[in-house]
């Protein structure tokens, strides 16, 4: 018995020691001491992205030690303001970012926008999907489009927070099927959990949510997916994209990594190389698989162009639903 | 609870504060953008709260006027100023980059003084020790970030 | 019986000596970190999750469960000892717990909290084992109108925290409601009462308000009243153990707390705040010593603590059966489960029975370990109160501000903390009750959001509130609770006139 216990206690001790060594090591190695800001509270999407990067960067050898710190608030706009003000010219601090922040900057009229940071790379993305309960009379996305055309007010949507990707997707859908997006009856819920409960309970006509949150309910036969919002089909998933259904919407919720303003071209290059090394590593691939995230690595000029396009189209749709005053 | 018969000045001030709060909330609802919403708009709840506060302000005012408030002992202002001053110093030190440990030590000393101690140097030393210990715990073991200053960079 | 066998199987794995040690270490770490200010259970789990990475799945799962329970109990410890609730769920505990600690009965308060957590945890684990699939079917049928009606019940019972003047109690409540309006309106995304400050867009943090009002307000008040004969703080008066009377007054409160906490916690929008405050009100109504409430009534700690723990187990119902994380802690747990290859959702019980029952058994064992570890430590904790007054309060202030600095390092947040401290001082001076402010801040936004969701879905038709049977019956309960005291006193006067 004693030996069993000792053998079992050993891994813990090792784990504890490594944890301590990692923690203290962070202070020692100054040169490669990287910090990543998660502009949200622990547990949220950006926090998980930052902590996943922390793990992958160290495991792939792209960085010696990585520390994650949280600056929560106002959809990331507090984080980005602090990031731009205090980290200017420092190549050892990065910030997790994404589509939600882009929307929040627009709706909160944040004085500091994504044009103030140095874009490094888009890392992952997740498509939104339109779901209805299995007993809903709506069988295809065309049925839903028909209903929206008839009377958008009577079609209630459940999804995440006001002005977030789910809201934008629902507004775009309403607009592109030829109805009036200002008449959209969108009910925001905090977090995916509550919205999903409302969809399952049949409290709303349809739900707009990240595919990952809906998937297990679909497998269990409780929800039916009508369409996904991103442009490309997902292999192995027999659900049409909105484009295939003739509705001109292409939207995915992406997460990216940004560097502070004022870096030299060489610094930008070396940071990009480090992130690319991480993104191409086995460690990162394993994490993506475990978390169910889709790789969407995009760096350099194409990423900058992508940001510009997204910003313009997001501003347009937010204006049309009245979330930003024209 | 002792009933005084004289009007209670500070009590009336509290009532006036409530009324002002009601006014601010009501004014804020007039700043909201108008647009299509189904059911209740964003201004409904604030207006109910503002109306409730206005009514309660009147009720509190009447109580104060009749002197029907519980009696209060005389309060000592000095400790109040010391503690609030300690908090203000904490914020100032953090804003100007003095760091977490120094800020904590100042707040500790100010509060201990407010509670009647006069050993400033000893209290400041204890405050520094508390600051260093908690800093090491949070920043090094739990890898949480605390505001940095000259003292923090020594570790 | 199949589920019962599966649970026993899980228990036999979790109870291996090696796994018991992991549970103990987990509880120890969880309590140690959870007791730090500003670190609630969610952050505790987030910080300590990496420690469990290197263990085998069974060991790491049980250590994880230990960390979770340790983190929760750590929050109650600070609420009781220094009036600094680490999260909104331990707010109700602070009301009576801190008064007990001041009266030298901190040990009993901590003990009833630990034992109550265990009793409630046991009941809730049984509930999870046998009722989860059935309960979850009911839970998703709750619409916004039903939640709104539940909030109405909660609002009515809040009057238990009002003290002896309805006008002053209502004033406190409305100030709390006003504070709850600050921030982005959840339905339209527009800022309200934010005055252009980005820090206010997310609204006022409940812990900032509670720590300001409770801990800093108290420190200011005690300091300003030092000239008068103030109460003497004793760390221990008499025995450390709960007396027979304490047991007699606690056990019913534990059980009631568990039966309130578990079902509400299982609702996707139920949370831990409503059950803890409901339990507090019910204990005050049912107590044979209602006059002790506000001065350290043990039922007022036993009930809410049990309710808090049971509601935490309740959140596992939607988490495991639907994959719905309904609180920050649940979201962290979801991240933890995924690390063990456990994918919560409707298929979980069918596809991975060993892991699920292993987890449920681990939670149960961890709960037991919490008791084993913390009862002997109770005596140590209360010795903290023997620190001389100036240093004790200086330490409390340092801890209170540290919590804010760790959670949100901004001057605005610290200024708010100071302002709420001053507000707490003024409210104590003028004898306004403190708790209703916090309750208003918690319940107000929830009630508003749910009502407006219901009205948006019904396109503005208020009849939706009475056509749903759940909502209609809850509203009836609220109405009865509101009117019964008046009816009773009317009846009393009638009888008195007859005599």
């Amino acid at each position: 018995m004693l030996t069993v216990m000792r053998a079992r206690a050993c891994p813990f001790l090792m784990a504890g020691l490594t944890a301590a060594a990692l923690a203290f090591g962070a202070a020692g190695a100054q040169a490669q001491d990287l910090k990543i800001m998660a502009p949200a509270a622990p547990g949220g999407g950006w926090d998980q992205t930052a902590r996943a990067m922390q793990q992958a960067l160290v495991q792939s050898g792209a960085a010696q030690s990585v520390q994650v710190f949280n600056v929560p608030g106002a959809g990331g706009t507090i984080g980005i303001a602090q990031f731009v003000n205090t980290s200017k010219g420092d190549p050892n601090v990065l910030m997790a970012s994404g589509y939600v922040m882009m929307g929040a900057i627009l709706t909160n009229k944040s004085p500091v926008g994504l044009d103030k940071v140095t874009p490094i790379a888009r890392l992952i993305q997740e498509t939104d999907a339109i779901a209805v309960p299995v007993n809903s009379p709506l069988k295809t996305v065309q049925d839903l489009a028909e209903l929206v055309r008839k009377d958008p007010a009577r079609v209630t949507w459940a999804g995440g927070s006001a002005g977030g990707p789910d809201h934008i997707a629902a507004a775009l859908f309403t607009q592109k099927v030829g109805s009036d997006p200002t008449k959209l009856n969108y009910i925001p819920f905090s977090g995916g959990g509550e919205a999903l409960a409302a969809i399952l309970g049949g409290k709303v006509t349809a739900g707009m949510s990240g595919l990952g949150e809906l998937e297990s309910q679909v497998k269990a036969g409780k929800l039916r997916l009508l369409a996904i919002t991103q442009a490309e089909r997902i292999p192995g998933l027999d659900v049409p994209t909105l484009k295939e259904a003739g509705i001109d919407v292409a939207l995915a919720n992406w997460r990216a990594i940004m560097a502070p303003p004022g870096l030299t071209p060489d610094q930008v290059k070396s940071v990009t190389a480090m992130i690319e090394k991480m993104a191409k590593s086995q460690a990162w691939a394993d994490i993506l698989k475990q978390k169910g995230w889709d790789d969407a690595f995009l760096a350099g000029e194409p990423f900058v162009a992508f940001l510009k396009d997204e910003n313009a189209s997001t501003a347009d749709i937010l204006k049309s639903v009245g979330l930003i005053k024209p | 609870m002792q009933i005084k018969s004289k009007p209670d000045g500070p009590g009336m001030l509290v009532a006036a504060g409530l009324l002002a709060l009601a006014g601010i909330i009501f004014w804020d609802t007039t700043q909201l953008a108008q647009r299509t919403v189904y059911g209740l708009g964003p201004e409904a709840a604030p207006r109910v709260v503002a109306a409730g506060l206005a009514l309660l302000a009147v009720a509190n005012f009447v109580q104060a006027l009749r002197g029907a408030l519980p009696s209060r002992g005389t309060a000592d202002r000095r400790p109040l100023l010391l503690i609030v001053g300690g908090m203000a110093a904490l914020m100032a030190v953090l804003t100007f980059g003095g760091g977490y440990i120094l800020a904590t030590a100042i707040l500790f000393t100010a509060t201990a003084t407010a509670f009647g101690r006069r050993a400033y140097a000893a209290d400041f030393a204890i405050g520094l020790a508390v600051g260093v210990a908690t800093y090491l715990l949070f920043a090094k073991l739990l890898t949480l970030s605390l505001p940095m200053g000259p003292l923090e960079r020594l570790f | 019986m199949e589920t019962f066998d599966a649970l026993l199987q899980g228990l036999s794995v979790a109870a291996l000596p090696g796994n018991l040690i992991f549970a103990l270490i987990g509880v120890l770490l969880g309590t140690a970190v959870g007791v730090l200010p500003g670190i609630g259970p969610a952050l505790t789990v987030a910080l300590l999750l990496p420690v469990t990475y290197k263990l085998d799945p069974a060991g790491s799962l049980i250590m994880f469960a230990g960390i979770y329970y340790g983190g929760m109990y750590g929050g109650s410890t600070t609420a009781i000892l220094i009036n600094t609730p680490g999260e909104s769920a331990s707010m109700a505990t602070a009301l009576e717990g801190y008064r007990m600690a001041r009266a030298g009965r901190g040990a009993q308060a901590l003990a009833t909290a630990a034992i109550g957590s265990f009793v409630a945890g046991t009941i809730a684990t049984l509930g999870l084992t046998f009722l989860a699939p059935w309960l979850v079917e009911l839970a998703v049928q709750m619409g916004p109108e039903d939640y709104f009606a539940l909030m109405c019940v909660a609002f009515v019972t809040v009057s238990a925290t009002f003290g002896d003047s309805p006008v002053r109690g209502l004033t406190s409540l409305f100030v709390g409601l006003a504070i709850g309006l600050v921030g982005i309106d959840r339905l339209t995304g527009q800022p309200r009462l934010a005055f252009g400050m980005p820090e206010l867009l997310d609204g006022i943090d409940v812990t900032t308000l509670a720590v300001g009002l409770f801990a800093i307000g108290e420190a200011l008040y005690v300091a300003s009243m030092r000239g008068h004969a103030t109460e003497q703080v004793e760390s221990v008066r008499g025995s450390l153990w709960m007396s027979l009377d304490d047991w007699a007054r606690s056990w019913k409160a534990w059980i009631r707390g568990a039966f309130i906490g578990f079902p509400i916690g299982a609702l996707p929008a139920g949370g831990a705040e409503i059950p803890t405050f409901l339990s507090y009100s019910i204990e005050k109504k049912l107590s044979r010593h209602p006059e002790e409430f506000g001065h350290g009534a043990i039922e007022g700690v036993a009930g809410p603590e049990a309710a808090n723990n049971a509601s935490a187990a309740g959140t596992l119902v939607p988490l495991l059966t639907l994959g719905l994380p309904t609180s920050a802690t649940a979201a962290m747990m979801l991240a933890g489960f995924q690390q063990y290859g456990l994918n919560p959702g409707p298929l979980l019980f069918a596809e991975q029975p060993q892991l699920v029952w292993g987890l449920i058994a681990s939670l149960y064992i961890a709960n037991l370990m919490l008791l084993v570890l913390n009862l002997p430590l109770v005596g140590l904790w209360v010795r903290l109160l023997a620190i001389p007054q100036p240093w004790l309060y200086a330490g409390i202030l340092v801890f209170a501000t540290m919590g804010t600095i760790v959670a949100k390092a901004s001057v605005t947040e610290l200024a708010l903390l100071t302002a709420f401290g001053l507000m707490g001082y003024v409210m104590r001076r003028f004898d306004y009750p403190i708790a209703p402010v916090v309750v208003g801040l918690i319940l107000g936004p929830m009630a508003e959001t749910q009502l407006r969701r219901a009205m948006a879905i019904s396109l503005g038709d208020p009849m939706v509130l009475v056509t749903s049977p759940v909502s209609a019956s809850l509203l009836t309960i609220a109405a009865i609770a509101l009117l019964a005291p008046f009816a009773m006193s009317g009846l009393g006067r009638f009888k008195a006139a007859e005599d």
Side-chain angles (χ1 to χ4, degrees):
Chain A
M1 190 61 84
L2 204 64
T3 46
V4 175
M5 276 170 55
R6 200 177 299 147
R8 278 174 175 270
C10 251
F12 164 71
L13 277 180
M14 302 260 285
L17 286 176
T18 356
L22 273 178
F24 284 103
Q30 285 302 329
Q32 304 213 23
D33 188 12
L34 186 70
K35 281 182 169 185
I36 303 178
M37 174 200 283
W46 290 322
D47 180 64
Q48 287 191 38
T49 312
R51 286 180 202 275
M53 286 183 68
Q54 173 185 35
Q55 201 182 333
L57 278 165
V58 174
Q59 279 175 13
S60 66
Q64 284 264 298
S65 82
V66 182
Q67 203 186 342
V68 172
F69 64 107
N70 300 80
V71 184
T77 50
I78 295 192
I80 191 176
Q82 184 182 325
F83 184 67
V84 167
N85 288 335
T86 60
S87 305
K88 194 168 279 178
D90 184 350
N92 292 320
V93 188
L94 300 174
M95 177 183 70
S97 176
Y99 192 48
V100 175
M101 185 186 278
M102 185 177 261
I105 287 168
L106 290 164
T107 49
N108 296 347
K109 294 184 222 75
S110 162
V112 181
L114 282 174
D115 53 329
K116 299 269 172 34
V117 300
T118 310
I120 297 296
R122 184 182 70 188
L123 292 172
I124 46 182
Q125 71 174 26
E126 184 188 33
T127 179
D128 258 16
I130 303 174
V132 293
V134 272
N135 54 13
S136 161
L138 304 173
K139 302 290 178 209
T140 68
V141 69
Q142 253 65 26
D143 295 347
L144 181 64
E146 189 55 40
L147 215 57
V148 171
R149 267 191 292 267
K150 219 187 282 164
D151 186 0
R154 296 215 166 265
V155 178
T156 49
W157 297 80
S161 59
D166 304 341
H167 193 175
I168 294 172
L172 274 172
F173 181 87
T174 310
Q175 188 183 44
K176 299 292 178 185
V177 300
S179 191
D180 182 358
T182 59
K183 291 228 162 69
L184 172 73
N185 193 352
Y186 180 84
I187 323 280
F189 288 83
S190 44
E194 245 190 291
L196 189 46
I199 307 170
L200 282 171
K203 302 290 162 195
V204 288
T205 318
M208 182 68 89
S209 181
L211 180 63
E213 276 162 8
L214 302 168
E215 234 168 358
S216 67
Q217 305 297 329
V218 175
K219 274 191 207 140
K222 306 219 166 196
L223 290 183
R224 175 166 54 239
L225 294 180
L226 298 185
I228 56 172
T229 59
Q230 74 177 26
E232 316 81 31
R233 254 189 193 248
I234 292 183
L237 187 75
D238 186 24
V239 176
T241 65
L242 283 174
K243 285 222 156 151
E244 285 172 46
I247 300 159
D248 186 24
V249 176
L251 178 142
N253 183 8
W254 45 268
R255 294 193 200 132
I257 189 83
M258 307 288 189
L263 298 193
T264 66
D266 278 350
Q267 284 171 328
V268 176
K269 216 187 234 170
S270 77
V271 172
T272 311
M274 171 180 73
I275 295 297
E276 185 156 9
K277 184 175 177 191
M278 178 213 78
K280 299 273 188 278
S281 72
Q282 188 57 40
W284 183 245
D286 290 345
I287 292 172
L288 292 185
K289 201 171 160 222
Q290 186 203 358
K291 302 250 180 200
W293 294 341
D294 281 337
D295 186 19
F297 185 77
L298 185 71
E301 273 310 309
F303 178 51
V304 177
F306 167 80
L307 281 179
K308 220 171 149 190
D309 285 354
E310 285 280 287
N311 202 46
S313 66
T314 308
D316 270 354
I317 190 67
L318 286 174
K319 256 179 221 143
S320 72
V321 291
L323 274 161
I324 357 179
K325 278 174 234 166
Chain B
M1 209 201 265
Q2 195 185 1
I3 307 290
K4 294 183 287 183
S5 49
K6 269 203 313 191
D8 188 323
M12 289 183 188
L13 220 61
V14 171
L18 291 171
L19 195 64
L21 182 60
I24 292 171
I25 296 172
F26 188 83
W27 169 81
D28 189 71
T29 62
T30 62
Q31 305 296 304
L32 292 167
Q34 290 298 315
R35 49 171 236 260
T36 330
V37 250
Y38 301 96
L40 297 171
E43 73 291 335
R47 290 197 175 152
V48 171
V49 174
L53 277 171
L55 278 177
L56 287 163
V58 173
N60 276 282
F61 186 79
V62 170
Q63 281 195 345
L65 198 66
R66 287 166 40 200
L69 296 183
S71 67
R72 315 181 281 276
T74 43
D76 190 356
R77 296 245 173 100
R78 203 176 148 270
L80 283 185
L81 289 174
L82 270 166
I83 295 178
V84 174
M87 295 287 292
L90 175 99
M91 285 180 251
V93 170
L94 291 181
T95 313
F96 296 109
Y100 166 78
I101 297 172
L102 184 66
T104 294
I106 293 172
L107 177 65
F108 191 93
T109 317
T111 313
T113 312
F115 278 87
R117 287 206 22 116
R118 291 291 171 270
Y120 307 111
D123 286 347
F124 192 73
I126 298 173
L128 278 180
V130 171
V132 169
T134 48
Y135 174 78
L136 289 177
L137 189 67
F138 274 94
K140 298 300 172 190
L141 268 177
L142 297 176
T143 64
L144 285 168
S145 62
L146 286 171
M148 299 289 282
L151 286 172
E152 283 76 8
R153 286 185 233 285
L154 297 177
F155 296 101
Chain C
M1 265 311 83
E2 229 172 277
T3 48
F4 197 65
D5 287 341
L7 179 64
L8 282 183
Q9 172 97 38
L11 276 174
S12 68
V13 174
L16 288 174
N19 286 342
L20 285 182
I21 289 179
F22 288 138
L24 192 66
I25 295 169
V27 168
L28 195 68
L29 284 173
T31 313
V33 175
V35 92
L36 297 171
I39 303 194
L43 192 49
T44 307
V45 173
L47 288 170
L48 293 176
L49 204 54
V51 181
T52 68
Y53 281 161
K54 304 256 158 76
L55 305 179
D56 66 280
S60 92
L61 200 61
I62 192 167
M63 190 151 141
F64 174 78
I67 291 169
Y68 173 62
Y69 273 111
M72 290 220 307
Y73 186 71
S76 318
T77 308
T78 48
I80 291 171
L81 291 178
I82 56 173
N83 213 5
T84 311
E87 32 136 18
S88 48
S90 40
M91 217 80 74
T93 308
L95 293 180
E96 297 303 315
Y98 180 64
R99 292 291 142 211
M100 284 182 74
R102 300 271 299 185
R105 288 172 41 76
Q108 284 82 355
L110 287 169
T112 199
I115 303 172
S117 296
F118 176 69
V119 171
T122 309
I123 295 173
T125 306
L126 288 173
L128 185 61
T129 312
F130 294 107
L131 301 180
W134 172 78
L135 204 58
V136 79
E137 287 299 322
L138 277 183
V140 294
Q141 293 309 320
M142 291 274 288
E145 61 281 359
D146 305 322
Y147 283 113
F148 175 71
L150 180 65
M151 312 286 165
C152 289
V153 175
F155 266 121
V156 171
T157 56
V158 169
S159 56
T161 58
F162 275 6
D164 39 36
S165 160
V167 168
R168 277 195 290 276
L170 276 174
T171 305
S172 294
L173 181 66
F174 269 78
V175 168
L177 292 176
I179 295 172
L181 293 171
V182 175
I184 290 179
D185 168 38
R186 289 189 222 176
L187 272 92
T188 61
Q190 298 189 68
R192 293 191 300 202
L193 293 169
F195 310 107
M197 294 163 74
E199 287 89 349
L200 291 181
L201 287 179
D202 279 348
I204 304 288
D205 192 47
V206 181
T207 37
T208 305
L209 177 75
V211 171
L213 284 179
F214 288 0
I216 298 181
E218 175 89 2
L220 288 169
Y221 186 69
V222 174
S224 77
M225 289 290 158
R226 263 183 358 100
H228 311 273
T230 44
E231 51 176 324
Q232 212 54 50
V233 183
E234 286 178 54
S235 63
V236 184
R237 184 176 294 165
S239 160
L240 276 176
W241 300 100
M242 284 170 64
S243 69
L244 266 183
D245 185 47
D246 289 335
W247 281 94
R249 292 174 61 179
S250 290
W251 73 270
K252 283 185 200 148
W254 294 333
I255 292 174
R256 278 193 290 262
F259 279 98
I260 295 166
F262 180 68
I264 298 182
L267 298 177
E273 296 90 355
I274 294 177
T276 46
F277 278 106
L278 261 182
S279 163
Y280 179 83
S281 315
I282 288 177
E283 292 314 323
K284 187 175 176 186
K285 288 247 162 68
L286 294 179
S287 171
R288 258 178 282 163
H289 311 271
E291 74 286 353
E292 278 184 29
F293 274 76
H295 306 281
I298 194 163
E299 300 96 324
V301 179
E305 266 306 296
N308 179 11
N309 207 300
S311 82
T315 57
L316 287 175
V317 172
L319 183 62
L320 291 176
T321 55
L322 294 177
L324 298 185
T326 53
S327 67
T329 318
M332 269 327 295
M333 294 192 74
L334 186 62
F337 294 164
Q338 282 167 343
Q339 170 201 327
Y340 311 124
L342 200 121
N343 283 308
L347 300 177
L348 179 69
F349 280 82
E351 281 178 356
Q352 295 166 304
Q354 275 95 354
L355 271 172
V356 185
W357 295 109
L359 170 77
I360 293 175
S362 301
L363 287 171
Y364 189 68
I365 296 280
N367 206 180
L368 184 68
M369 276 296 161
L370 183 77
L371 198 63
V372 171
L373 178 79
N374 279 296
L375 279 186
L377 283 182
V378 156
L380 252 169
W381 282 124
V382 291
R383 301 268 171 234
L384 276 180
L385 297 177
I387 297 172
Q389 205 191 29
W391 290 340
L392 180 65
Y393 277 103
I396 290 176
L397 252 82
V398 164
F399 260 55
T401 49
M402 188 195 335
T404 304
I405 293 172
V406 170
K408 260 190 191 174
S410 87
V411 174
T412 318
E413 203 70 17
L414 285 168
L416 278 174
L417 187 73
T418 314
F420 291 139
L422 280 169
M423 185 171 129
Y425 166 76
V426 171
M427 292 181 72
R428 278 178 178 78
R429 275 288 279 164
F430 287 88
D431 206 28
Y432 286 96
I434 307 281
V437 184
V438 181
V439 176
L441 172 60
I442 294 170
L443 288 184
M446 284 173 148
E448 188 204 354
T449 308
Q450 300 290 8
L451 177 64
R452 286 173 59 197
R453 277 183 194 148
M455 298 294 273
I457 292 173
S458 74
L459 296 177
D461 177 11
M463 287 309 283
V464 67
L465 293 178
V466 285
T467 47
S468 150
V470 179
S471 161
S473 34
L474 284 171
L475 285 175
T476 313
I477 293 174
I480 292 173
L482 188 66
L483 299 175
F486 296 105
M488 293 290 218
S489 70
L491 208 64
R493 231 174 280 144
F494 183 66
K495 273 191 184 150
E498 234 176 28
D499 282 342

